[in-house]
Amino acid sequence: FKYAKDPKNQWSKSFQWEKKSIKQEFFGTKFQEQFNTRTQKGTSLTEFNEPLWFGSSEEKRLVKDLLGLSSTESWLSYRATINKKHIVPEKATEFVDRFASPILFKPIKTSTGWRVYFGAKPNPYQFTKHEGQDMAYLGQSFNISTDNPRSQRTFPLSLPDTFNIDHFFAYVFDKANFTINSHVESKFHKHGAFRALKAIYEQLQP
């Protein structure tokens, strides 16, 4: 997740996102094999052209879940299920098991096709609980586990304490920070899915 690793992000420091942390914790052998294979192929593992693999600071965070949390994920290539259980803060009355994406999409049909508008919900990271108490989503911690019988343990990861989604969008829209051609390996550039994603990305306008 390139935004989290780039010092130009809103936190001004690099975070290691949860997918790599989970791989290291539960699937260390397979993770190392993948890393070695890419190195042997001559891949230059740098912070910006390989954001999922490059070593980062010791600070590990939940990053992907800023854009929506699912407490259960199927990792098909690893034949495993990843579970995230909220560590309920003291005095809290409820736990978090899902968090809807803060991004809204609104497709509008035009004479030539469709135009899709998108934006963020106002104040998306604040929960209002049934007893009238607010609990912020940001900063919450979760115990991570897997159904893999070889990895019967858990470890905690937390969301960042702050997140400005407008800053995130500004970063993504800036072609100096992100281009889909460099983000996706060249061997996939002829795939139909890549061409569709590229066409969508190139039409994005702030």
Side-chain angles (χ1 to χ4, degrees), residues 72-172:
T72 302
E73 299 177 1
S74 295
W75 285 33
L76 299 181
S77 61
Y78 289 83
R79 298 180 180 178
T81 298
I82 302 300
N83 302 300
K84 301 173 185 176
K85 184 176 181 180
H86 184 213
I87 301 173
V88 183
E90 187 178 355
K91 298 182 180 180
T93 57
E94 296 185 27
F95 66 92
V96 179
D97 60 352
R98 293 189 66 83
F99 177 72
S101 172
I103 302 176
L104 299 172
F105 293 88
K106 180 67 175 180
I108 303 293
K109 186 171 179 59
T110 67
S111 59
T112 57
W114 291 86
R115 176 170 293 179
V116 180
Y117 295 89
F118 68 96
K121 302 174 184 177
N123 302 318
Y125 297 105
Q126 196 74 15
F127 287 97
T128 301
K129 294 304 179 182
H130 71 280
E131 294 182 356
Q133 297 178 344
D134 288 344
M135 182 174 71
Y137 178 60
L138 296 174
Q140 296 298 314
S141 299
F142 296 80
N143 272 327
I144 314 300
S145 63
T146 177
D147 64 350
N148 188 330
R150 298 181 181 178
S151 302
Q152 295 299 310
R153 60 183 184 276
T154 65
F155 73 102
L157 286 174
S158 299
L159 291 152
D161 294 323
T162 61
F163 181 63
N164 185 314
I165 199 167
D166 292 330
H167 190 285
F168 169 72
F169 278 134
Y171 178 94
V172 172

